Amino acid sequence: HIDDVNGRVKLPKIGWMRYRKSRPLAFKCADGSVKSGTVRQIHIKKDCGHWFVVFTTEFDIEMPDPKALDVGIDLGVVHAVATSDGQFFDLNTGRIKELEKEIARYQRKVALNRSSRQKLGKAGRAEAFDKTKPSRKRRRLLEKLQKLHRRVRNIRRDFQMKTAHTLAQEYGCVYVEDLKTRNMTKSQYKAGGYVVAVPAAYTSCECPSCTCTDKRNRPRQAQFRCIGCGYENNADIVGAINVRRKGRTGPSAHNKKRIAREVSSGAVEPFARNSGANSENQPLGVA
């Protein structure tokens, strides 16, 4: 039972509960039209002291043709994501480092709180330390730690969503290295066609001009200089170019064994089963 107009949902044994609707229960197609869906499941979850309701909605839409352009991407250290066309997508590591310093400071406070409580317990001046029954001060410290970790998690998720959305608007096929980068791969559901994983071997030290493969081609982390032909470029861009070349010369992107996931082209939100309305704050540029 959903009262979409007034933003209410009826939960078993609880009754009607109000929620802040951050996304409509509708799907915006690539042509700009809006289609309503059918709610299949409702999930209630708690995160850092806040409650969220998630509606899993099924939509019936047509699959548009994927775009013709393709691109290879490389996940690097200097730049988070580099494309074979020379674009860079950088994560806000400065802000993350600031939050990590705060996290380390509160972790030291939590450890000091435990050791102090244990000393008082041994001296008989307080009850023995029990992590299942934290004190009010310890609960506040743990809550602060949870909020800081959530802020770091949101920064990373925001970057993943924005980068995937940008690539989806320009390319119909994205070639990625076959690495264990699950978070970035999951965000690629926004791609306007196909996501193809290619072998990652020698993509960082092979020259895209003369195919000379040598570790000395990469004297520094961000620099590539071929010892054979003298070709120079950014190391991340070289890796992305090699990934695209392997994707083009390898198994076809239309081979089902190589397809990661097929999705709607140009749509901001994923097709078929999707959380149509979610009271949780959505990443910027997605909702």
Side-chain angles (χ1 to χ4, degrees), residues 32-45:
S33 60
V34 178
K35 292 187 177 181
S36 58
T38 304
V39 178
R40 296 299 185 185
Q41 292 179 340
I42 298 178
H43 300 275
I44 307 295
K45 66 178 184 178

Side-chain angles (χ1 to χ4, degrees), residues 188-253:
Q188 293 291 341
Y189 63 72
K190 300 174 181 296
Y194 305 101
V195 178
V196 182
V198 301
Y202 306 112
T203 55
S204 61
C205 59
E206 181 179 353
C207 178
S209 178
C210 66
T211 67
C212 173
T213 304
D214 196 299
K215 293 182 178 180
R216 294 175 295 174
N217 288 344
R218 197 165 182 176
R220 288 195 294 269
Q221 183 67 37
Q223 183 183 9
F224 184 92
R225 181 186 300 155
C226 180
I227 62 175
C229 65
Y231 175 83
E232 293 186 20
N233 204 340
N234 182 277
D236 293 333
I237 294 179
V238 170
I241 293 174
N242 290 329
V243 169
R244 182 179 62 179
R245 178 181 56 80
K246 283 190 175 184
R248 287 177 174 178
T249 58
S252 173

Side-chain angles (χ1 to χ4, degrees), residues 23-283:
R23 295 175 62 180
L25 286 172
F27 184 84
K28 186 177 180 181
C29 300
D31 56 0
S33 60
V34 178
K35 292 187 177 181
S36 58
T38 304
V39 178
R40 296 299 185 185
Q41 292 179 340
I42 298 178
H43 300 275
I44 307 295
K45 66 178 184 178
K46 183 181 181 181
D47 186 12
C48 297
H50 299 277
W51 290 90
F52 304 97
V53 57
V54 182
F55 300 95
T56 303
T57 311
E58 186 178 43
F59 300 96
D60 185 13
I61 63 174
E62 297 180 359
M63 287 289 296
D65 296 330
K67 300 178 181 179
L69 296 179
D70 61 348
V71 67
I73 64 173
D74 179 75
L75 306 183
V77 178
V78 179
H79 298 284
V81 178
T83 69
S84 55
D85 295 340
Q87 299 185 65
F88 295 109
F89 299 91
D90 295 320
L91 179 64
N92 188 2
T93 56
R95 181 54 181 160
I96 292 179
K97 289 180 180 179
E98 293 177 0
L99 293 174
E100 286 177 345
K101 290 181 180 179
E102 288 290 310
I103 290 174
R105 186 165 66 90
Y106 277 94
Q107 285 176 338
R108 288 193 295 268
K109 288 186 176 182
V110 171
L112 181 62
N113 174 269
R114 178 171 183 169
S115 60
S116 300
R117 184 64 181 272
Q118 288 176 341
K119 290 180 181 179
L120 292 175
K122 290 180 180 180
R125 298 172 56 185
E127 296 182 1
F129 176 80
D130 186 0
K131 64 180 181 181
T132 62
K133 298 179 181 179
S135 62
R136 182 174 60 180
K137 181 178 181 180
R138 186 175 181 84
R139 285 198 304 269
R140 290 178 178 176
L141 292 174
L142 294 176
E143 289 175 359
K144 184 63 177 179
L145 267 177
Q146 291 177 355
K147 291 180 180 179
L148 290 173
H149 280 293
R150 183 169 183 258
R151 292 174 69 179
V152 173
R153 187 167 63 249
N154 287 341
I155 292 175
R156 296 183 184 276
R157 184 174 59 179
D158 176 70
F159 168 76
Q160 294 165 7
M161 294 293 182
K162 285 182 178 179
T163 304
H165 176 68
T166 302
L167 294 174
Q169 300 303 306
E170 299 181 13
Y171 306 102
C173 185
V174 179
Y175 304 108
V176 298
E177 292 180 314
D178 193 7
L179 302 174
K180 295 181 180 180
T181 52
R182 293 182 300 173
N183 291 336
M184 194 65 193
T185 305
K186 287 180 180 179
S187 300
Q188 293 291 341
Y189 63 72
K190 300 174 181 296
Y194 305 101
V195 178
V196 182
V198 301
Y202 306 112
T203 55
S204 61
C205 59
E206 181 179 353
C207 178
S209 178
C210 66
T211 67
C212 173
T213 304
D214 196 299
K215 293 182 178 180
R216 294 175 295 174
N217 288 344
R218 197 165 182 176
R220 288 195 294 269
Q221 183 67 37
Q223 183 183 9
F224 184 92
R225 181 186 300 155
C226 180
I227 62 175
C229 65
Y231 175 83
E232 293 186 20
N233 204 340
N234 182 277
D236 293 333
I237 294 179
V238 170
I241 293 174
N242 290 329
V243 169
R244 182 179 62 179
R245 178 181 56 80
K246 283 190 175 184
R248 287 177 174 178
T249 58
S252 173
H254 297 277
N255 185 348
K256 293 183 179 180
K257 294 182 180 180
R258 305 293 296 176
I259 295 175
R261 188 170 296 183
E262 182 180 345
V263 295
S264 173
S265 173
V268 176
E269 301 161 353
F271 80 111
R273 296 187 181 274
N274 176 38
S275 301
N278 190 337
S279 61
E280 185 176 5
N281 294 331
Q282 299 297 322

Side-chain angles (χ1 to χ4, degrees), residues 12-28:
K13 300 181 180 180
I14 298 179
W16 289 101
M17 298 292 296
R18 296 185 62 87
Y19 65 91
R20 182 177 62 84
K21 184 170 63 174
S22 61
R23 295 175 62 180
L25 286 172
F27 184 84
K28 186 177 180 181

